[in-house]
Amino acid sequence: MNCPSRIYFDVTVDRHPESVKVAIVAESFLPHFNGVTNSILKTLDHLALTGHDAVVITPAGSLTGELTGHGVPKHYRGFRIHTVPSMPLASYPEVRVATTSVGRLRKILARERVDVVHLASPFILGWQGLRAAQELNLPTVALYQTEVPNYASRYKMPWLTQRLWEHVQAIHTAADLSLVPSTFSFQQLKNLGIDRLKISGRGVDTVQFTPQRRSEHFRQAVAPNGEVIIGYVGRLAAEKQVADLKALADLKNTRLVIVGSGPLEAELRALLPTAHFTGFLSGERLAEVMASMDVFVHPGSSETFCQTIQEAMACGVPVVAVGRGGPLDLVDSSHTGWLYQPGNLTELRSRVSDLVYDDAKRLAFASAALASVQGRSWFNIGEQLVDHYQFVRMARISR
């Protein structure tokens, strides 16, 4: 849900003494916004800032997108974006699935003379990119960011779950290094027998996301009678479980605010007729709306990290989230928010009510949430990633 950061744009940094050229093989990229895209943009920002080089390989957009000017850009921060043939995902046409060959990717990697291949949430294109890198003896860093196997049941294909986990296992076993965003996802891959693992979290932009952006104008518009605003930010897709917010729809003196877009938007609008839907937001407008919330709720149980939780906390908003996946690391239950058992909507309602109807507790949790994310710099995350690139390069050279 985040726009490309501009925090680095006016900073001048000397070229890195050990510069590296990275090929980022991305299952999704602009103009499609999600957590994976945002992480890629932050990585590219950092590589540009610190004097490294990069190229991006990603599925091509639709012809309509190209004609309207909303397709995949040709460059970002001066880095070239290579697109490969793709087709729309049947249940979510905004998402494009690559249909290219290993040979084509091998030619791109060889022509660009890259030093390391960064596999961003690899699955289909990432698998092809991994094989191309192996053929060229290039080191690979795979970032596990999406729990794809758990999506199978959400999209009514539970029989695929085991096969999908086998594919995840194959990718991360073959990669030189796999980075995971949370202790939960670390254990997931460890249980698959994957050993070359490190945890790499996410930064948060505390300049963009801050309590100072709280807007009384927005609050008056959506909660004119002083209602407590309960908010959600994310894609309106099956894996996010936004329909669970139905359990909160009749809480007295509250207003649900739902930020995002996706294939279930019409269905959710019908299910939650009293909620305020903003559509897709980004940049300062997104930060303004998040800072104007009183309680942030994230019901999805398939999050490997959940960046919007950090952003809500940076806005001084306490969080109620599922006690599974990334939120386990981010929410200190009974201090910065509450965690509830997956699927227990009675507990969800109880935890949200606890903060909605206790102003003093809500403010105390909000203060603790804000303090908890200070110092989580994107710059430090970027430097750690560059260190990982250099590590796999040196390991490959020494073989």
Side-chain angles (χ1 to χ4, degrees):
M1 294 304 300
N2 305 310
C3 70
S5 170
R6 296 295 183 267
I7 192 169
Y8 296 143
F9 281 20
D10 298 323
V11 180
T12 300
V13 175
D14 291 336
R15 184 169 177 79
H16 200 285
E18 295 183 10
S19 62
V20 60
K21 185 169 184 178
V22 185
I24 298 181
V25 180
E27 302 283 346
S28 67
F29 193 62
L30 298 173
H32 185 68
F33 282 92
N34 56 31
V36 174
T37 301
N38 187 57
S39 293
I40 294 168
L41 297 179
K42 295 296 187 182
T43 298
L44 292 172
D45 286 342
H46 188 82
L47 294 174
L49 171 70
T50 51
H52 298 286
D53 198 1
V55 296
V56 176
I57 305 171
T58 193
S62 66
L63 178 59
T64 300
E66 299 295 338
L67 292 174
T68 60
H70 298 292
V72 179
K74 297 184 183 301
H75 296 87
Y76 178 82
R77 297 299 307 271
F79 300 137
R80 184 174 177 183
I81 313 300
H82 293 272
T83 57
V84 296
S86 71
M87 61 184 294
L89 189 66
S91 56
Y92 199 165
E94 292 89 346
V95 176
R96 308 288 299 187
V97 178
T99 57
T100 193
S101 67
V102 172
R104 182 170 185 157
L105 296 179
R106 185 180 63 245
K107 289 178 182 177
I108 295 173
L109 295 175
R111 184 169 64 247
E112 292 287 352
R113 302 177 64 83
V114 303
D115 299 308
V116 61
V117 178
H118 168 138
L119 306 169
S121 196
F123 206 75
I124 297 175
L125 180 61
W127 175 242
Q128 301 290 73
L130 173 64
R131 293 166 60 196
Q134 289 175 325
E135 292 183 7
L136 293 170
N137 196 33
L138 290 171
T140 53
V141 177
L143 277 70
Y144 176 67
Q145 295 172 268
T146 309
E147 192 181 332
V148 174
N150 203 36
Y151 289 11
S153 59
R154 300 288 172 194
Y155 287 89
K156 302 178 181 179
M157 296 180 290
W159 61 89
L160 279 177
T161 302
Q162 183 57 36
R163 292 291 299 275
L164 295 177
W165 277 121
E166 290 169 0
H167 189 58
V168 170
Q169 181 182 40
I171 291 170
H172 291 280
T173 298
D176 291 271
L177 177 67
S178 289
L179 302 180
V180 297
S182 62
T183 54
F184 184 88
S185 52
F186 182 94
Q187 194 58 51
Q188 278 187 314
L189 295 197
K190 195 73 175 174
N191 290 344
L192 293 176
I194 299 162
D195 294 323
R196 296 187 294 276
L197 288 172
K198 288 187 180 295
I199 294 178
S200 178
R202 302 285 181 271
V204 62
D205 184 350
T206 54
V207 174
Q208 177 177 343
F209 296 96
T210 167
Q212 302 306 314
R213 295 197 187 276
R214 188 175 177 91
S215 168
E216 290 306 320
H217 176 76
F218 174 80
R219 291 181 58 81
Q220 181 63 30
V222 302
N225 299 312
E227 296 92 339
V228 176
I229 296 178
I230 303 167
Y232 164 84
V233 176
R235 293 194 310 282
L236 305 185
E239 68 274 10
K240 300 298 183 179
Q241 299 170 245
V242 187
D244 288 357
L245 299 182
K246 178 69 174 176
L248 311 176
D250 63 345
L251 289 178
K252 292 182 179 179
N253 196 38
T254 67
R255 185 75 192 277
L256 270 175
V257 171
I258 297 176
V259 180
S261 60
L264 296 187
E265 182 170 350
E267 179 180 322
L268 289 168
R269 284 179 179 272
L271 180 69
L272 303 167
T274 62
H276 177 75
F277 286 78
T278 69
F280 173 79
L281 298 177
S282 64
E284 292 184 2
R285 179 58 176 164
L286 171 62
E288 177 184 285
V289 171
M290 291 187 80
S292 302
M293 297 172 180
D294 296 302
V295 179
F296 183 84
V297 180
H298 200 289
S301 61
S302 302
E303 298 295 324
T304 59
F305 187 74
C306 198
Q307 179 67 3
T308 55
I309 286 179
Q310 283 202 136
E311 291 165 351
M313 288 178 163
C315 290
V317 181
V319 174
V320 177
V322 177
R324 182 186 185 277
L328 292 170
D329 289 351
L330 298 175
V331 180
D332 182 359
S333 204
S334 82
H335 184 58
T336 62
W338 288 112
L339 296 171
Y340 67 94
Q341 289 294 315
N344 190 335
L345 302 189
T346 300
E347 187 182 5
L348 164 62
R349 183 183 173 93
S350 174
R351 295 306 193 187
V352 172
S353 297
D354 180 63
L355 295 178
V356 164
Y357 301 119
D358 188 332
D359 294 347
K361 181 181 288 188
R362 187 172 69 252
L363 291 174
F365 277 33
S367 178
L370 177 62
S372 73
V373 298
Q374 300 308 303
R376 296 184 186 176
S377 161
W378 275 112
F379 183 86
N380 290 339
I381 297 297
E383 286 295 272
Q384 291 170 14
L385 183 56
V386 171
D387 287 344
H388 292 316
Y389 294 154
Q390 300 289 17
F391 172 79
V392 296
R393 285 183 69 197
M394 294 301 102
R396 180 62 64 98
I397 291 170
S398 64
R399 288 181 186 174

